[in-house]
Amino acid sequence: MGLDIQPQTAVAYLGDFTGSTGTELPCFAAEVACRIVAIDLLDITGVTAHASNYGTATVENKGTTGSGTTSVAARSTDTVSTDDIDTFAAWAITLSTTEANLEIAAGESLSFAWTEAGTGQDLGGAAIVIHYAVGSGAGN
């Protein structure tokens, strides 16, 4: 599928995430229909992956009312060496394989959540980077 224009980037600084209770924050609002082409997490501290004490990053489409639960992207730091988050380096969050989940309608918003398992892993100062293209594909 072609994109109407070249991808654009929006960055939202979300701060630190600590503790085992999941924290969800808004990170993107679509003014026009768009397609998500990549999502990265940046953090000021490194995270070493661990099989039982890990964090999970999720991005959901909250719709226009904040009640949506459509998964746009997710990734965990649960696979040793392949899921490490390096300091100040883009850590790609795996996009949904359902094409329609990547289509964001005008007026819809996205949220970022960090949930910890076991003793968890904290983020010291996180930013979410949304790469998107204006227009839509098959989903909108």
Side-chain angles (χ1 to χ4, degrees), residues 72-95:
V72 176
R75 185 174 177 192
S76 297
T77 59
D78 61 349
T79 304
V80 176
S81 75
T82 61
D83 288 330
D84 294 345
I85 299 174
D86 294 327
T87 304
F88 288 101
W91 186 71
I93 303 174
T94 306
L95 295 179

Side-chain angles (χ1 to χ4, degrees), residues 1-139:
M1 161 189 2
L3 301 174
D4 294 340
I5 63 170
Q6 292 299 313
Q8 300 180 40
T9 300
V11 179
Y13 177 72
L14 301 174
D16 63 334
F17 290 82
T18 60
S20 60
T21 58
T23 301
E24 181 180 31
L25 295 172
C27 64
F28 180 81
E31 292 185 41
V32 296
C34 61
R35 177 174 174 72
I36 304 301
V37 296
I39 300 176
D40 296 316
L41 172 68
L42 297 171
D43 192 44
I44 64 170
T45 57
V47 174
T48 302
H50 191 278
S52 56
N53 301 314
Y54 59 90
T56 300
T58 57
V59 177
E60 289 185 342
N61 183 336
K62 304 308 281 185
T64 58
T65 64
S67 61
T69 59
T70 300
S71 176
V72 176
R75 185 174 177 192
S76 297
T77 59
D78 61 349
T79 304
V80 176
S81 75
T82 61
D83 288 330
D84 294 345
I85 299 174
D86 294 327
T87 304
F88 288 101
W91 186 71
I93 303 174
T94 306
L95 295 179
S96 171
T97 57
T98 304
E99 293 292 324
N101 291 7
L102 305 178
E103 300 290 334
I104 311 301
E108 293 182 337
S109 62
L110 301 181
S111 69
F112 172 81
W114 181 257
T115 307
E116 298 179 359
T119 58
Q121 295 173 318
D122 296 340
L123 299 177
I128 192 78
V129 183
I130 309 285
H131 305 279
Y132 64 99
V134 174
S136 63

